[in-house]
Amino acid sequence: MKLNFTEQQNAFREEIRTWLAENVPAEPLKTFDTEEGFQQHREWEATLNKGRWGMVTWPEDLGGRACDLIEWLIFEEEYYRAGAPLRVNQNGIFLLGPTLMEYGTQEQKERFLPRMATGEDVWAQGWSEPNAGSDMAAIRSTAKREGDKYIINGQKTWSTRAVWADWLFGMFRTDPESERHRGLTFILVPLDTPGITVRPIPQLDGLPGFAEIFFDNVEVDVSNRLGDEGAGWSVAMATAGFERGLMLRSPARFQETARRLVELYRANQASADRDPGVRDAVIRAWMDAESYCLSTYQTACRLSQGGKIGAESSTNKIFWSELDQNMHGTAMSLLGARAELLPHAPDAQGVGTWLDGWMFAQSGPIYAGTNEIQRNIIAERMLGMPR
Amino acid sequence: MKLNFTEQQNAFREEIRTWLAENVPAEPLKTFDTEEGFQQHREWEATLNKGRWGMVTWPEDLGGRACDLIEWLIFEEEYYRAGAPLRVNQNGIFLLGPTLMEYGTQEQKERFLPRMATGEDVWAQGWSEPNAGSDMAAIRSTAKREGDKYIINGQKTWSTRAVWADWLFGMFRTDPESERHRGLTFILVPLDTPGITVRPIPQLDGLPGFAEIFFDNVEVDVSNRLGDEGAGWSVAMATAGFERGLMLRSPARFQETARRLVELYRANQASADRDPGVRDAVIRAWMDAESYCLSTYQTACRLSQGGKIGAESSTNKIFWSELDQNMHGTAMSLLGARAELLPHAPDAQGVGTWLDGWMFAQSGPIYAGTNEIQRNIIAERMLGMPR
Amino acid sequence: MDFTFSEDQLLFRDSVRDFLVNEVTPERVRASWEKDDGRDAELWQQLAELGLCGMTVPEDFGGLGMNELDFVLLAQECGYVALPEPLVNTALVAVPVLSRLGGEAASEYLPRIASGELRVAVGCSENGLVEDAAQAGLLLWAEPEAFYVLTAEQFSTRYNPSVDPSRRLYAVELGSDAKPVATGDQAQALYQAVLDRGALGAAAQALGLAQRMIDISVQYSSERQQFGKPIGSFQAVKHHMANVAVRLEYAKAPVHRAAYALAEDAAGASEAVSHAKLVACEAANLAAKNSIQVHGAMGYTWEVDLHIFMKKAWALAGSFGDTGFHKQRIAEHIFADGAALGAGTTFA
Amino acid sequence: MDFTFSEDQLLFRDSVRDFLVNEVTPERVRASWEKDDGRDAELWQQLAELGLCGMTVPEDFGGLGMNELDFVLLAQECGYVALPEPLVNTALVAVPVLSRLGGEAASEYLPRIASGELRVAVGCSENGLVEDAAQAGLLLWAEPEAFYVLTAEQFSTRYNPSVDPSRRLYAVELGSDAKPVATGDQAQALYQAVLDRGALGAAAQALGLAQRMIDISVQYSSERQQFGKPIGSFQAVKHHMANVAVRLEYAKAPVHRAAYALAEDAAGASEAVSHAKLVACEAANLAAKNSIQVHGAMGYTWEVDLHIFMKKAWALAGSFGDTGFHKQRIAEHIFADGAALGAGTTFA
């Protein structure tokens, strides 16, 4: 055990810190749930890519830096510390990218990864269906093979970024006779294909953070299939693993929230201390964010040495999503009467983005497998309790 | 709505307050989980009965005062306020007594109620069996009818007070072919009948608060049956309702605990305030105890006007048992290093009975139907969620 | 000792509930969100015709002469439908405070409020922002040392949008000709009266909101299928809802006691209000949290009705005294030397 | 950056775990409860022979020369079996502190501790009571301004029974001939060293206790049938255990970091210890609460083994600095002007 960074790691940190200081936009971008904001974020992805900071964990020949997990954590720390924009590209970077590298053909890698890296192609997810939310095996959308085409029909929902994205990756039932996990295939679909209708779904803040997508005899070339026909489930499970596990939620995000919460508390201490539960919650928030960081580094080191991540990725999902909810809930209590004000309200001084964060935090325990599902997984797979 | 007491109610309060001031033992009794303490408590029941304060809700001709629910609440307030002994007789007063009055024959009432009132007969419960804890319908102990006798075989467990009690009331399967709720009969059994073996079960504090009872061809006269043969389930459900519902846990107990917690906090404020969660928990404890009192009075008034108590008795069980656990847990945190000391430890100044209370509080969410079962009941019967 | 509502109170509640549930549908709430002023003049007139705007106005001034206790069950129902119109602030806060102030202001304005002709807004400096100030013809503004009754010309407003689109909040600036109608002890009493009644209104609405979120979630989870059965049959989902039901059940009596205490001007009324507001808003917050979880991704959308009630619950938690304000009042009460606590002290 | 334990550390942990699980059965723990002194001389000798008593004793003094980090995994295993013998206090607290003190005391006593011949007790004034003081031939007593090394003749003891029958706690009274061996800054540093190492030992044991309570409860709930199926198949029971697993999982790294920080004398070690103790003891307390609930009435008895672990978890929560002590240290750290918080500060 050695809990400090190497010179090389420190130099890496210095490099990204310097680059970010010079390149992070002075004005915060508009949210990527608006068309203008989406475009701004797409441009930011291009800027990142020019600096070779877009996909730091990708191999160098794909425009990455082949960062190991520790370097990735350092990158994330500096990224959040600098207040750099959210990644509109995260479906690509963290989900489809690694899946393509593992399951894609050489041709697919060359075709998709570079354009993903530059932000030219932004990807939407196509997992859920109206009756297959937590239960992905209930997927009903079909892709019927006809020659070298698939003819897709059906409906996807909760597709994040789909309103302005270019491509969608998702699972479709290629064997109409199949049930549950069998007979599903992983297919990549250009969103401008005829027969596709995208209906935005407004989320809590009123903006279309996700969409429903309707497929009406949509023709997709067989070369857009990822992995074997009927093997979609195992390909998708790998992707879901990337999502639930380490890669999506770096500790930096929660540590920055905890830091801002401490600041908010200190700036309002007199009124905050009228409710002793607030001070307690702030202390707990800092400790939990710190625990999350320590545990993530410990897991990252273990994985670097060839360890595997298993059902404990479910503990990860529960821990950060509840921490995030608790921190933002504490901020709401702390802000009192001001908590309800939208950020642009003229008398909202000091409320910052807490309300947006609070609403966003509500999605944490829900998406990528509800926390109830995660608890089942922990009990059954990690603890070995009876089904 | 009129939230103050009548002159008559105030006079009643004055009367019991005066009597208690004169009669409550100056020295606390030993716990009734010891033989000596049991005897002391039996004597206290006799004293109470002499003052006609033993069974205040019972009819006057049975030694009671025919108190309505409000008077009973007042009685309890004064009883807890005076720090009077716990009731060794509570199985009788609150469970079997009301059941006998509802289901017993005139002969049974005359035979059992007066001796119960004086504490001459102390009653144990015989509900649970080793494989029928929360699931009472799984009872297997049998009572075979032979002439005017029942021949009882089997085993009961978690029988409170059974180690030194005189009688047991319980449920036995009289129809060996029957399943689940059918074929059960409610029978009263003298614990000195040949064939009965009582094995004490030591609880968390090491004392035998309950026992296992083994029945080996135990002969009981048919006249000891309560209700019809095979009707045990409905008789028992009434009893369980008395236990879960309003009658068992009067608000006074929790309000006194909350008061002591406030005192403990104030006596240790400097050290307690190092953990802001403690002050918050104390404030919440007081509020919840107050809520419990208010809600109980509201329910009592509703019942007095002919209302019924239904699935909300399950909310009652959850609310008080979690409140009790939280209050004692807060006291444990507050006491810090002293919390682990037994009351007679020479350097345990100021710890009082919090540790005993903490251990006892662990049983609240378990007995009389676990809180998980109660939550199911609330969801299914009160909210109408699907089974 | 009688902790029940009268037959009349319950019947009136039932008829108002029927009206509100039928008329103030989620669609109508959404429609009012779209309006510039957020208000629904037709609905307000309907409420006035039912006598609700004037319910607490003395009979001499054209009202029904009822009090805070009579109104509290209706405030719950207003929460149940997330009524956007400022009925609770009018009937439970502004009118009783104006009646206490008495004099010319009362006799001039109360009849017009009762008829629905005059909209009144009420705020206090603890809060900062005032609901519906720009839509009101009359503003009651309470500071600890000064109480104002101002007509529209005597103050200006600045709009502050809330997460709850029903709430139209305004910073108010008093005009140079604004003169307090009460100062000193009288102002202090009126300031307390505004805060306490406002907090009671928020608490009562929170009860209704929590109940509505339970009802919506129970219905959704009974219909929505996953893994081949309704999600409401999963124990985790049941227990989420049961936990809300428990907290809600035990928040009701405190709210009713607080209403009684205010109506009777009882000692300790302010602590009773603080207790009620804390437990009721906590129940509503838990209802929001568990309801969105039970709804899954649907709960995160603008499309299902849940967010109408959830956002109002979030907003009310900080209104008319936030958690810190009310907890501090409780703390001052229970940690005071010689405080009467423990068994037998609740109704003393 | 390497946050893993070495192969050697893990192998040693495994062999000690095997020994402890086989030898320190619940029956053996119960047997030691019955003894007057609560101690098991044979077991102590076995532990010494395995090198555990002297594990952190420098090699020059007959030990294995290891440090707090090497020992922390073993402390978890001691918790897992609820070891009654004071191994953690000896190897993780007394020995490192005596080594820091150095001089004659170290060279005289450390070899005898390593051999198992001399039992040592360690306490500090923050705590009040000292485990095993009456059974020890040597007492280390730390006050902020004075540090004592006392032989059995130099102090007297008064027994204080704990809820955990394994813990033999004593008030100690220093004899008139007791003289501090260190004062001033040195005493202050030793006092901190005792408190921090004691707290780390409690935290590490809490991890093991929590894991044991999970294991016991999972096994019990997989076997115990109700309503025709194992109770462990009910979602409410599963989620009780999953909640413990989550808290436990995220308490481990803080404990390991704290051990590293103490072993390396790193800046911020005391805050790291406080963080570790708070989260580990909270995980153990939650494990106790949810385990008893999963056990139902069985969990409330003296007969099932759960209470062996539960009571130790309760007791450790207040030992070597209670929740208030440690929370205050965290608060002083994070609310200080110029505190380095946020992303990238954890290992700075």
Side-chain angles (χ1 to χ4, degrees):
Chain A
M1 194 172 292
K2 191 158 173 51
L3 300 185
N4 44 40
F5 296 105
T6 61
E7 273 182 40
Q8 200 189 340
Q9 286 164 339
N10 284 328
F12 176 78
R13 186 188 292 279
E14 204 46 47
E15 188 185 350
I16 172 65
R17 185 178 290 192
T18 306
W19 187 89
L20 287 168
E22 286 163 7
N23 288 278
V24 169
E27 282 289 297
L29 307 187
K30 295 212 157 59
T31 164
F32 52 47
D33 294 332
T34 62
E35 187 161 11
E36 184 188 354
F38 194 87
Q39 198 49 43
Q40 289 177 347
H41 281 80
R42 198 197 279 269
E43 284 158 20
W44 168 247
E45 291 292 332
T47 306
L48 272 174
N49 188 57
K50 265 189 224 125
R52 223 158 41 88
W53 294 113
M55 316 311 217
V56 293
T57 55
W58 287 19
E60 298 196 13
D61 59 355
L62 293 168
R65 289 172 181 252
C67 282
D68 64 16
L69 284 170
I70 302 300
E71 287 164 332
W72 176 71
L73 288 167
I74 293 170
F75 169 79
E76 292 280 298
E77 284 168 359
E78 293 306 316
Y79 195 87
Y80 276 98
R81 200 177 156 279
L86 293 180
R87 305 295 301 268
V88 72
N89 216 351
Q90 54 191 349
N91 285 333
I93 311 167
F94 297 120
L95 304 183
L96 183 58
T99 312
L100 266 169
M101 291 177 216
E102 197 167 333
Y103 291 93
T105 62
Q106 192 55 36
E107 184 268 335
Q108 285 175 324
K109 289 181 200 173
E110 284 165 16
R111 189 171 148 216
F112 294 118
L113 290 172
R115 293 177 57 86
M116 190 186 291
T118 57
E120 282 164 284
D121 289 345
V122 177
W123 288 80
Q125 291 193 51
W127 290 148
S128 298
E129 298 189 0
N131 288 302
S134 291
D135 182 11
M136 284 218 311
I139 282 174
R140 289 199 219 152
S141 292
T142 57
K144 195 175 161 197
R145 179 75 176 262
E146 287 191 2
D148 57 355
K149 301 274 183 204
Y150 286 111
I151 314 296
I152 299 182
N153 280 287
Q155 183 186 349
K156 294 285 176 187
T157 189
W158 311 125
S159 185
T160 46
R161 315 281 159 269
V163 181
W164 293 288
D166 310 289
W167 281 78
L168 169 135
F169 58 94
M171 274 219 290
F172 300 90
R173 197 165 287 283
T174 38
D175 175 359
E177 303 296 301
S178 65
E179 283 190 356
R180 307 290 303 158
H181 311 87
R182 282 169 290 276
L184 295 168
T185 299
F186 197 114
I187 301 176
L188 314 176
V189 187
L191 281 167
D192 57 1
T193 317
I196 290 183
T197 311
V198 176
R199 191 184 75 85
I201 306 178
Q203 59 197 14
L204 282 184
D205 60 8
L207 296 172
F210 23 59
E212 284 183 300
I213 304 179
F214 300 89
F215 299 85
D216 181 14
N217 287 319
V218 174
E219 288 188 23
V220 176
D221 198 90
V222 169
S223 64
N224 286 358
R225 187 185 72 213
L226 187 55
D228 292 336
E229 189 168 298
W233 184 260
S234 50
V235 180
M237 282 299 98
T239 311
F242 299 134
E243 182 177 18
R244 254 210 310 277
L246 184 65
M247 301 297 289
L248 192 62
R249 294 296 166 224
S250 57
R253 172 179 149 198
F254 307 107
Q255 289 186 291
E256 282 298 300
T257 306
R259 182 186 61 69
R260 291 193 298 116
L261 186 61
V262 168
E263 262 175 25
L264 185 73
Y265 168 74
R266 293 191 66 191
N268 296 277
Q269 186 164 357
S271 74
D273 280 349
R274 295 171 310 160
D275 175 0
V278 166
R279 182 180 171 92
D280 193 48
V282 174
I283 295 171
R284 285 170 184 273
W286 180 81
M287 289 200 295
D288 280 353
E290 186 80 351
S291 297
Y292 187 70
C293 174
L294 290 165
S295 300
T296 305
Y297 268 92
Q298 194 167 44
T299 304
C301 291
R302 200 168 53 71
L303 294 177
S304 304
Q305 298 180 17
K308 290 264 172 217
I309 194 161
E312 62 266 39
S313 69
S314 291
T315 66
N316 178 285
K317 165 76 201 302
I318 291 170
F319 195 87
W320 70 249
S321 62
E322 294 186 347
L323 167 59
D324 199 40
Q325 220 177 14
N326 290 342
M327 288 195 291
H328 286 92
T330 303
M332 296 291 282
S333 292
L334 216 162
L335 287 168
R338 281 179 296 156
E340 66 175 305
L341 297 182
L342 298 187
H344 60 277
D347 295 283
Q349 298 100 326
V351 304
T353 56
W354 287 106
L355 175 65
D356 276 344
W358 165 242
M359 286 196 283
F360 182 64
Q362 305 303 316
S363 70
I366 294 170
Y367 81 107
T370 65
N371 283 10
E372 288 74 31
I373 302 277
Q374 307 301 342
R375 287 192 167 85
N376 288 353
I377 293 173
I378 292 167
E380 290 166 12
R381 299 192 207 158
M382 186 169 152
L383 305 180
M385 294 176 79
R387 282 178 178 264
Chain B
M1 193 171 295
K2 192 162 172 49
L3 300 187
N4 43 37
F5 296 105
T6 62
E7 272 182 42
Q8 200 188 340
Q9 286 164 339
N10 284 328
F12 176 77
R13 186 188 291 279
E14 205 46 46
E15 189 184 353
I16 173 63
R17 184 178 290 193
T18 306
W19 187 89
L20 287 168
E22 286 163 7
N23 288 278
V24 169
E27 282 290 295
L29 306 188
K30 294 211 157 58
T31 163
F32 52 47
D33 294 333
T34 61
E35 187 161 10
E36 185 189 353
F38 194 88
Q39 199 48 44
Q40 289 178 347
H41 280 81
R42 199 198 279 268
E43 282 159 21
W44 168 248
E45 291 292 333
T47 306
L48 271 175
N49 188 56
K50 263 189 226 126
R52 223 158 41 89
W53 294 111
M55 316 308 214
V56 293
T57 55
W58 289 19
E60 298 197 12
D61 58 356
L62 293 168
R65 289 171 180 254
C67 282
D68 64 17
L69 284 170
I70 301 300
E71 286 165 334
W72 175 73
L73 287 167
I74 293 169
F75 170 79
E76 291 280 298
E77 284 168 359
E78 294 305 316
Y79 195 87
Y80 277 96
R81 200 178 156 278
L86 292 180
R87 305 297 299 271
V88 72
N89 215 351
Q90 55 191 349
N91 285 334
I93 311 167
F94 297 120
L95 304 183
L96 183 58
T99 314
L100 267 168
M101 290 178 215
E102 195 165 336
Y103 291 93
T105 63
Q106 191 56 33
E107 184 268 337
Q108 286 175 325
K109 289 181 199 171
E110 284 166 15
R111 189 171 147 215
F112 293 115
L113 290 171
R115 292 179 56 86
M116 189 186 293
T118 58
E120 282 165 283
D121 290 345
V122 177
W123 288 79
Q125 291 194 52
W127 290 149
S128 298
E129 298 190 359
N131 289 302
S134 290
D135 182 13
M136 285 220 309
I139 281 173
R140 288 197 222 155
S141 293
T142 57
K144 194 174 161 199
R145 179 74 176 262
E146 287 190 4
D148 58 356
K149 301 275 185 205
Y150 286 110
I151 315 295
I152 299 183
N153 280 288
Q155 181 187 349
K156 293 285 178 186
T157 190
W158 311 124
S159 184
T160 45
R161 313 282 156 268
V163 181
W164 294 288
D166 309 289
W167 281 77
L168 170 136
F169 58 93
M171 272 220 292
F172 301 90
R173 196 164 288 285
T174 39
D175 175 358
E177 304 295 300
S178 65
E179 282 189 356
R180 308 288 305 157
H181 311 87
R182 280 168 292 274
L184 295 167
T185 299
F186 198 113
I187 301 177
L188 313 176
V189 187
L191 280 167
D192 58 1
T193 316
I196 289 182
T197 310
V198 175
R199 192 185 75 85
I201 305 178
Q203 59 197 13
L204 281 185
D205 61 7
L207 296 172
F210 24 59
E212 283 183 298
I213 304 178
F214 300 89
F215 300 84
D216 180 14
N217 287 321
V218 173
E219 287 188 22
V220 176
D221 200 90
V222 169
S223 65
N224 286 359
R225 187 185 70 213
L226 188 55
D228 291 337
E229 189 169 299
W233 184 260
S234 51
V235 180
M237 282 300 97
T239 311
F242 298 136
E243 181 177 17
R244 254 210 311 279
L246 185 65
M247 301 298 287
L248 193 62
R249 296 295 165 220
S250 56
R253 173 179 148 197
F254 307 106
Q255 290 186 289
E256 281 299 299
T257 305
R259 181 186 61 69
R260 290 192 300 114
L261 187 61
V262 168
E263 263 175 25
L264 186 73
Y265 168 74
R266 294 190 66 190
N268 296 276
Q269 186 164 357
S271 74
D273 280 349
R274 294 171 311 158
D275 175 1
V278 166
R279 184 179 170 93
D280 193 49
V282 173
I283 295 171
R284 284 169 185 274
W286 180 81
M287 288 200 295
D288 279 353
E290 186 81 350
S291 296
Y292 188 71
C293 174
L294 290 165
S295 299
T296 306
Y297 267 92
Q298 193 167 44
T299 305
C301 290
R302 200 169 51 74
L303 294 176
S304 305
Q305 297 181 17
K308 290 267 173 217
I309 192 162
E312 62 267 36
S313 69
S314 291
T315 66
N316 179 286
K317 166 75 200 305
I318 291 171
F319 195 86
W320 70 251
S321 63
E322 294 188 347
L323 167 60
D324 200 38
Q325 221 177 14
N326 290 342
M327 288 195 291
H328 285 91
T330 303
M332 295 293 281
S333 293
L334 216 162
L335 288 167
R338 281 179 296 157
E340 66 175 305
L341 299 181
L342 299 186
H344 60 278
D347 296 283
Q349 299 99 323
V351 304
T353 57
W354 288 106
L355 176 65
D356 277 345
W358 166 241
M359 287 196 282
F360 182 65
Q362 305 303 316
S363 70
I366 294 169
Y367 81 107
T370 64
N371 283 10
E372 287 74 31
I373 302 277
Q374 307 302 342
R375 288 192 166 86
N376 289 352
I377 294 173
I378 292 167
E380 291 165 11
R381 299 192 207 157
M382 188 169 150
L383 305 180
M385 293 175 79
R387 279 178 182 264
Chain C
M1 177 62 57
D2 177 10
F3 209 149
T4 60
F5 289 91
S6 69
E7 277 302 305
D8 283 350
Q9 286 166 330
L10 294 174
L11 282 172
F12 195 36
R13 188 265 318 266
D14 290 347
S15 71
V16 171
R17 172 193 292 179
D18 288 346
F19 170 80
L20 289 174
V21 168
N22 288 327
E23 293 291 328
V24 188
T25 59
E27 294 68 40
R28 191 159 180 185
V29 173
R30 287 171 189 270
S32 78
W33 289 358
E34 302 302 320
K35 295 188 189 164
D36 279 345
D37 68 352
R39 293 296 155 252
D40 182 333
E42 190 194 344
L43 179 56
W44 188 250
Q45 208 45 54
Q46 285 176 291
L47 296 169
E49 279 159 22
L50 285 170
L52 295 173
C53 299
M55 186 166 159
T56 52
V57 170
E59 290 173 276
D60 290 352
F61 295 134
L64 301 179
M66 295 186 180
N67 65 20
E68 291 86 347
L69 181 64
D70 298 306
F71 194 82
V72 69
L73 292 176
L74 308 190
Q76 290 180 226
E77 299 306 323
C78 293
Y80 191 80
V81 298
L83 179 70
E85 297 301 301
L87 178 63
V88 174
N89 279 355
T90 301
L92 193 61
V93 191
V95 167
V97 169
L98 206 46
S99 299
R100 285 191 151 222
L101 176 67
E104 259 180 53
S107 51
E108 182 179 350
Y109 298 123
L110 286 175
R112 296 172 55 202
I113 294 171
S115 71
E117 170 216 331
L118 178 66
R119 280 178 179 264
V120 58
V122 57
C124 68
S125 49
E126 173 68 27
N127 247 43
L129 304 181
V130 183
E131 265 186 277
D132 293 285
Q135 290 81 348
L138 193 71
L139 168 68
L140 311 186
W141 176 251
E143 297 174 5
E145 298 292 325
F147 186 84
Y148 297 86
V149 178
L150 304 170
T151 53
E153 314 78 53
Q154 294 176 297
F155 63 96
S156 60
T157 62
R158 185 168 56 241
Y159 179 48
N160 276 271
S162 159
V163 66
D164 174 7
S166 290
R167 283 166 68 81
R168 301 301 166 116
L169 296 174
Y170 300 87
V172 296
E173 208 164 305
L174 308 197
S176 52
D177 60 335
K179 294 275 171 302
V181 294
T183 57
D185 286 352
Q186 196 196 1
Q188 178 66 40
L190 291 166
Y191 175 76
Q192 284 298 335
V194 167
L195 248 172
D196 284 341
R197 280 159 186 77
L200 173 68
Q205 288 178 82
L207 294 182
L209 288 162
Q211 186 63 55
R212 183 62 170 267
M213 288 188 268
I214 291 177
D215 290 352
I216 290 177
S217 302
V218 166
Q219 188 181 351
Y220 179 80
S221 66
S222 301
E223 289 165 2
R224 167 84 176 161
Q225 305 261 333
Q226 288 271 280
F227 304 102
K229 47 185 180 172
I231 60 171
S233 64
F234 289 101
Q235 206 178 19
V237 173
K238 283 181 184 169
H239 288 197
H240 278 325
M241 284 297 112
N243 288 337
V244 182
V246 171
R247 294 311 301 184
L248 174 57
E249 194 63 25
Y250 284 86
K252 290 174 185 168
V255 173
H256 300 159
R257 193 264 301 259
Y260 175 86
L262 286 181
E264 296 287 317
D265 249 328
S270 288
E271 290 80 37
V273 165
S274 288
H275 175 203
K277 174 128 198 287
L278 287 167
V279 295
C281 287
E282 193 163 84
N285 271 333
L286 183 68
K289 182 179 173 184
N290 289 6
S291 293
I292 193 169
Q293 191 64 21
V294 162
H295 275 74
M298 287 303 302
Y300 195 70
T301 64
W302 192 273
E303 301 194 350
V304 297
D305 295 330
L306 175 63
H307 80 124
I308 298 174
F309 308 97
M310 186 161 70
K311 287 174 177 171
K312 192 174 285 295
W314 292 342
L316 289 177
S319 123
F320 289 107
D322 62 11
T323 307
F325 175 86
H326 291 291
K327 258 193 199 168
Q328 192 175 36
R329 287 217 301 205
I330 297 289
E332 281 164 7
H333 171 55
I334 66 176
F335 298 139
D337 288 330
L341 306 175
T345 59
T346 301
F347 300 105
Chain D
M1 176 61 58
D2 177 10
F3 208 150
T4 61
F5 287 92
S6 70
E7 277 302 305
D8 282 352
Q9 286 167 330
L10 294 174
L11 282 173
F12 196 37
R13 189 265 318 265
D14 290 347
S15 71
V16 171
R17 173 194 291 176
D18 287 347
F19 171 81
L20 290 173
V21 168
N22 287 326
E23 292 292 329
V24 188
T25 59
E27 294 67 38
R28 192 159 179 185
V29 173
R30 287 172 189 270
S32 77
W33 289 358
E34 301 302 320
K35 296 188 190 162
D36 279 346
D37 67 353
R39 292 296 154 254
D40 182 333
E42 191 194 341
L43 179 57
W44 189 248
Q45 208 45 55
Q46 287 175 287
L47 296 170
E49 280 159 23
L50 285 170
L52 296 173
C53 297
M55 187 165 161
T56 51
V57 170
E59 290 175 272
D60 289 352
F61 296 134
L64 301 179
M66 295 187 178
N67 66 19
E68 290 86 347
L69 181 64
D70 298 306
F71 194 82
V72 68
L73 292 177
L74 308 190
Q76 289 180 224
E77 299 306 322
C78 294
Y80 190 78
V81 299
L83 178 71
E85 296 302 301
L87 179 61
V88 175
N89 280 355
T90 300
L92 193 61
V93 191
V95 167
V97 169
L98 207 46
S99 300
R100 287 193 150 221
L101 177 66
E104 260 180 52
S107 52
E108 183 179 349
Y109 298 124
L110 287 174
R112 296 170 58 202
I113 293 171
S115 71
E117 172 217 330
L118 179 67
R119 280 178 179 264
V120 58
V122 56
C124 68
S125 50
E126 172 70 26
N127 247 43
L129 304 181
V130 183
E131 263 187 278
D132 293 285
Q135 290 82 346
L138 193 71
L139 169 68
L140 311 186
W141 175 251
E143 297 173 3
E145 298 292 325
F147 186 82
Y148 298 86
V149 179
L150 303 170
T151 55
E153 314 79 52
Q154 294 176 295
F155 63 94
S156 61
T157 62
R158 185 169 55 241
Y159 180 49
N160 275 271
S162 159
V163 64
D164 173 7
S166 290
R167 282 166 68 83
R168 301 302 164 114
L169 296 173
Y170 299 87
V172 296
E173 209 165 303
L174 309 197
S176 53
D177 59 337
K179 295 276 174 297
V181 295
T183 56
D185 285 353
Q186 196 196 1
Q188 177 66 40
L190 291 166
Y191 175 76
Q192 285 298 335
V194 166
L195 246 171
D196 284 341
R197 280 161 185 76
L200 173 67
Q205 289 178 80
L207 295 183
L209 288 161
Q211 187 62 56
R212 183 63 169 268
M213 289 187 268
I214 290 176
D215 290 352
I216 291 177
S217 303
V218 166
Q219 189 182 350
Y220 179 81
S221 66
S222 301
E223 289 163 3
R224 168 82 176 162
Q225 305 261 331
Q226 288 272 283
F227 304 102
K229 48 183 179 173
I231 59 170
S233 63
F234 289 101
Q235 205 177 22
V237 173
K238 283 181 184 170
H239 288 196
H240 277 325
M241 285 296 113
N243 287 337
V244 181
V246 172
R247 295 311 300 184
L248 174 57
E249 194 64 23
Y250 284 86
K252 289 174 185 169
V255 173
H256 299 159
R257 194 265 299 259
Y260 175 86
L262 286 180
E264 298 285 318
D265 250 331
S270 288
E271 291 79 37
V273 165
S274 287
H275 174 204
K277 175 133 200 284
L278 288 167
V279 294
C281 287
E282 193 163 84
N285 271 334
L286 183 68
K289 182 177 173 186
N290 288 7
S291 293
I292 195 169
Q293 191 64 22
V294 162
H295 275 74
M298 286 304 301
Y300 195 68
T301 65
W302 192 272
E303 301 194 351
V304 298
D305 294 331
L306 174 63
H307 80 123
I308 298 174
F309 308 96
M310 186 161 70
K311 287 173 177 170
K312 191 173 286 294
W314 292 342
L316 289 177
S319 124
F320 289 106
D322 62 8
T323 307
F325 176 86
H326 291 291
K327 255 190 202 171
Q328 192 175 37
R329 286 217 301 204
I330 298 288
E332 281 165 6
H333 170 56
I334 65 176
F335 298 140
D337 287 329
L341 306 175
T345 58
T346 301
F347 300 104

